[in-house]
Amino acid sequence: MQRRTRHITRVWLLIFLLFSPILQELNPIPVSISTEPDLDYNYEYEKNGVYTKFSDWVPYKLHKWEPKFLEDYYEMYGLKLHYKENELRRNIFFLKAGLQKRFRHPRNALCRVTNEEEYHKYRLLIFMHMNLQIMRSYMRIASQFDKRHLYFYNLDFAHELKQSFEVADSFYKEAIPYWEASRKYADQASEIDYDLDLGTIETERYEIITGKLDFGQIISDHRERLTKKRETVGAYLAKYPEADKSNLDQIP
């Protein structure tokens, strides 16, 4: 009985294959010859007589990620090989915003923590490191307005140097409070006798408490050298007061 059923099925399949081309000729499938899509080039379509952008019907936040926790902002920190002031200011903005946020749940921390004391030290180390990164960013911006060496021919731009050195000194001053905060958190974290798997952050803590890393002295040295350069520029402008204007204004 099964063999007979299979035989009948094969016969009907053969008949369908033989007569399929003829049936297609009798009832051709309509094909549109229009090259215009249903949607116009502005991704708009008509609904009840009103044009609405197609994008308005797509959820805007479908795949949008928004930072929420302190670690989210910290992970947005980045510095390219060749950076300028905009990249540094961007990092400062995100790090400062992150310092005002709460931490993730301990299970989602940046390293493994097993008890409350470890988690407390983890938070102290992250605060220390983020303040240190803000301080370094301010110092990098200051270095872009400072000059390592002041040669005699640089005094042709004494007016511009006077303004630039003033900006550099203001950024050095901005860096000082963040260094003080970093040192405070490093001291507090050192009171907890646990070593966390945070790589160079633990090394930073050790170097700060031992005095090997002393950005307070480094900033002070930068400002002392800057003061001498500002005195040199001031003496030149006192001797040649006509040079105390924009270099472009001195072009006859």
Side-chain angles (χ1 to χ4, degrees):
M1 183 66 179
Q2 293 179 353
R3 293 181 60 185
R4 182 179 178 183
T5 302
R6 288 198 298 267
H7 178 71
I8 295 174
T9 302
R10 290 174 182 175
V11 171
W12 278 108
L13 179 61
L14 180 61
I15 294 173
F16 175 80
L17 292 175
L18 290 175
F19 288 94
S20 179
I22 299 175
L23 294 174
Q24 290 181 0
E25 292 180 1
L26 295 176
N27 298 300
I29 300 175
V31 178
S32 175
I33 60 174
S34 175
T35 59
E36 293 295 329
D38 294 333
L39 301 177
D40 64 16
Y41 296 112
N42 293 322
Y43 297 97
E44 298 177 349
Y45 66 95
E46 186 175 4
K47 182 179 180 181
N48 299 328
V50 179
Y51 282 95
T52 305
K53 286 187 177 181
F54 181 73
S55 58
D56 291 345
W57 293 84
V58 180
Y60 178 66
K61 296 184 179 181
L62 184 61
H63 299 293
K64 187 176 180 181
W65 177 77
E66 294 182 357
K68 181 178 180 181
F69 300 102
L70 179 143
E71 290 92 341
D72 297 338
Y73 285 92
Y74 170 69
E75 289 177 344
M76 296 177 73
Y77 174 89
L79 201 61
K80 299 185 294 186
L81 181 61
H82 302 286
Y83 58 86
K84 294 185 180 180
E85 184 179 349
N86 286 339
E87 287 79 10
L88 295 168
R89 286 184 178 274
R90 174 183 178 275
N91 285 334
I92 291 173
F93 173 81
F94 286 128
L95 291 174
K96 282 186 176 181
L99 289 174
Q100 306 301 319
K101 303 297 181 180
R102 61 190 179 94
F103 283 85
R104 294 174 182 168
H105 191 275
R107 66 176 182 178
N108 297 322
L110 298 176
C111 70
R112 182 172 176 266
V113 291
T114 58
N115 55 55
E116 291 184 5
E117 287 189 333
E118 283 187 354
Y119 188 55
H120 180 53
K121 183 177 183 180
Y122 162 79
R123 296 197 304 271
L124 293 172
L125 288 177
I126 295 298
F127 279 141
M128 177 204 75
H129 182 65
M130 291 178 68
N131 278 280
L132 202 62
Q133 293 301 89
I134 294 173
M135 180 218 65
R136 283 174 167 153
S137 296
Y138 274 127
M139 291 190 65
R140 288 186 177 111
I141 296 177
S143 68
Q144 296 184 356
F145 292 92
D146 198 354
K147 282 187 68 66
R148 180 172 297 181
H149 302 289
L150 183 63
Y151 300 106
F152 70 95
Y153 51 80
N154 297 134
L155 295 175
D156 292 338
F157 305 92
H159 175 75
E160 286 77 10
L161 287 172
K162 181 181 71 172
Q163 295 178 331
S164 181
F165 290 159
E166 184 177 351
V167 174
D169 191 46
S170 67
F171 280 114
Y172 284 135
K173 291 178 182 178
E174 287 283 346
I176 295 175
Y178 294 97
W179 162 248
E180 296 295 337
S182 298
R183 189 170 61 178
K184 179 189 70 174
Y185 288 121
D187 291 338
Q188 293 178 3
S190 299
E191 297 176 359
I192 302 175
D193 192 19
Y194 287 99
D195 288 331
L196 301 182
D197 186 18
L198 281 173
T200 57
I201 297 181
E202 281 280 16
T203 304
E204 285 177 346
R205 176 196 61 79
Y206 176 78
E207 292 180 346
I208 290 174
I209 63 173
T210 58
K212 184 178 180 180
L213 187 63
D214 187 359
F215 273 101
Q217 185 61 46
I218 293 172
I219 296 173
S220 178
D221 291 342
H222 278 297
R223 294 191 68 197
E224 286 180 6
R225 288 192 293 268
L226 183 62
T227 299
K228 294 179 180 178
K229 287 179 279 191
R230 295 177 75 177
E231 290 174 351
T232 302
V233 171
Y236 177 84
L237 292 175
K239 185 177 181 180
Y240 303 101
E242 67 278 3
D244 195 6
K245 59 182 179 180
S246 176
N247 196 261
L248 293 176
D249 296 338
Q250 300 180 39
I251 299 176

